[in-house]
Amino acid sequence: MFMPFDIMRTFMFTMIYKRLFTAIFSLFIVGVLVFFVTESLPGDFCTSYLGQNATGSRLEQCRIDNNLNAPLVERFSLWSENVVSGNLGTSLKRQRPVSDVLVPRLENTLILGGIAALIGIPIAIFLGCIAGLRANKKSDHFISIASLFTMTVPEFVTATLLTLIFSIWLPWFPAVTLIGENASLSELLPNVVLPVVALSMAMIAHILRMVRSCMITVMNSSYIKMARLKGIPYWYIVFHHALPNALLPAINIIALTIAWLLGGVVIIEQVFNYPGIGSLMISAIYDRDLPVVQGVAIVLAIIYILVNLCADLLTCILNPKLRTQQGY
């Protein structure tokens, strides 16, 4: 049954307010942890930048110039005020605003993750449905074993094997990306094939197993059995009744997997030398460029929280049981 429009609107606003409050609180906690954890790293930018010359007056002057000798609480207060106002600070090494350094890299990472999601999610849903509909048969066993193997192999191993096979044995794709961070989409596309495959494999495995489990549960439910007894065509039951109900519990897993892509790209981008946000974070950590590290961490946290927020709202809207539990 459909809810009246005013009740539906009240439900939406209430859910959004609750989730936004949780998201803002989570972001605050993440911000505090990011700042103090990065500040606790051994060494600082000046010791990394000056190297063997990091002694005496030069080291002290470098710290004064970059405000590294200010008290920790004072630096956190200034940093948090800037973040709230949308200012992520200035890169110590590049002497440019962090946002100018971060945006091109973020765009490249979103291209990589977006292509992986657009390819991986439909494949995962398809294979999960096949495995669930043919539970305990040869096709199910094959898909399940392949997914378990894919889940247990680390991303860098998968990336290395793909490079060995498709860049060395079969020189079809470049092993590493040799273009800059401001490359156009047409220049990036040949270089994203192997990183996309490496990211998609683990993502497909996680979503596949969730969809398979949900499909088995739904197909064994009483209303599906009743529909089959009434003579309703099998594939109509699958696509109009079983699949929508099987996908509801999988929405959060899909959201978590999409958010996981942002963490997985750190390793994948480093292996393939891809000019994305992951390789930027690695180089910033090496250089002790803390404003860049903190900016990348905050942006990734915001994306992670937004993806989960959208998944929670979508699940509550599509699932009448959750609306009933909320009192609507």
Side-chain angles (χ1 to χ4, degrees):
M1 296 179 61
F2 292 98
M3 296 185 299
F5 177 75
D6 55 341
I7 298 179
M8 182 65 177
R9 184 173 58 184
T10 303
F11 164 75
M12 282 292 299
F13 283 137
T14 303
M15 287 298 303
I16 290 173
Y17 289 148
K18 289 181 179 179
R19 294 299 191 272
L20 281 178
F21 175 79
T22 304
I24 293 172
F25 180 74
S26 300
L27 191 58
F28 170 75
I29 298 298
V30 168
V32 173
L33 291 174
V34 163
F35 182 84
F36 286 101
V37 168
T38 53
E39 289 289 342
S40 66
L41 291 172
D44 58 19
F45 167 73
C46 290
T47 56
S48 174
Y49 177 71
L50 296 175
Q52 295 180 350
N53 298 319
T55 56
S57 60
R58 296 191 63 184
L59 181 61
E60 184 65 24
Q61 186 60 45
C62 177
R63 287 172 174 166
I64 293 173
D65 294 341
N66 292 284
N67 197 35
L68 296 178
N69 59 340
L72 187 61
V73 176
E74 179 182 329
R75 281 187 283 146
F76 173 72
S77 176
L78 178 62
W79 177 78
S80 57
E81 290 176 6
N82 289 336
V83 169
V84 170
S85 64
N87 178 14
L88 297 176
T90 302
S91 170
L92 299 178
K93 181 179 181 180
R94 298 166 179 83
Q95 293 301 310
R96 294 165 52 199
V98 172
S99 56
D100 291 350
V101 177
L102 195 150
V103 168
R105 296 295 195 104
L106 180 60
E107 290 175 352
N108 293 341
T109 293
L110 291 179
I111 290 172
L112 180 61
I115 295 175
L118 288 175
I119 294 174
I121 292 174
I123 293 175
I125 293 174
F126 174 76
L127 293 177
C129 290
I130 295 297
L133 294 174
R134 300 183 61 82
N136 299 320
K137 296 183 179 179
K138 289 184 179 180
S139 54
D140 176 36
H141 293 320
F142 176 78
I143 293 174
S144 297
I145 292 172
S147 64
L148 280 173
F149 175 77
T150 305
M151 290 171 62
T152 55
V153 177
E155 293 91 345
F156 71 90
V157 175
T158 303
T160 304
L161 289 175
L162 289 173
T163 302
L164 177 64
I165 296 172
F166 296 105
S167 295
I168 298 176
W169 293 351
L170 302 172
W172 294 348
F173 304 104
V176 294
T177 305
L178 300 177
I179 56 178
E181 61 185 41
N182 295 313
S184 64
L185 180 60
S186 60
E187 293 173 324
L188 280 175
L189 285 179
N191 297 276
V192 302
V193 175
L194 295 184
V196 162
V197 173
L199 283 174
S200 298
M201 288 176 67
M203 179 182 64
I204 288 171
H206 284 87
I207 299 176
L208 179 160
R209 293 187 63 80
M210 183 64 182
V211 173
R212 173 190 178 276
S213 176
C214 294
M215 183 62 76
I216 292 174
T217 301
V218 171
M219 291 301 293
N220 289 326
S221 60
S222 57
Y223 73 92
I224 294 293
K225 293 179 180 178
M226 182 61 68
R228 298 188 68 176
L229 289 174
K230 289 181 178 179
I232 299 176
Y234 178 76
W235 290 111
Y236 183 89
I237 294 173
V238 169
F239 286 108
H240 288 79
H241 297 288
L243 183 59
N245 286 284
L247 289 181
L248 272 176
I251 290 177
N252 283 325
I253 297 297
I254 293 174
L256 288 172
T257 306
I258 293 174
W260 166 86
L261 283 176
L262 298 174
V265 295
V266 175
I267 299 173
I268 297 299
E269 288 180 359
Q270 191 69 12
V271 172
F272 291 103
N273 193 41
Y274 184 81
I277 199 170
S279 55
L280 174 64
M281 174 175 269
I282 296 296
S283 64
I285 292 174
Y286 179 79
D287 296 328
R288 294 298 187 269
D289 195 348
L290 296 189
V292 174
V293 177
Q294 293 161 353
V296 171
I298 286 295
V299 169
L300 291 179
I302 291 173
I303 296 175
Y304 187 92
I305 290 172
L306 286 177
V307 169
N308 284 280
L309 175 64
C310 293
D312 288 342
L313 293 176
L314 183 61
T315 302
C316 289
I317 292 170
L318 297 178
N319 194 340
K321 291 182 180 179
L322 292 180
R323 295 200 295 265
T324 303
Q325 292 172 1
Q326 295 288 335
Y328 297 98

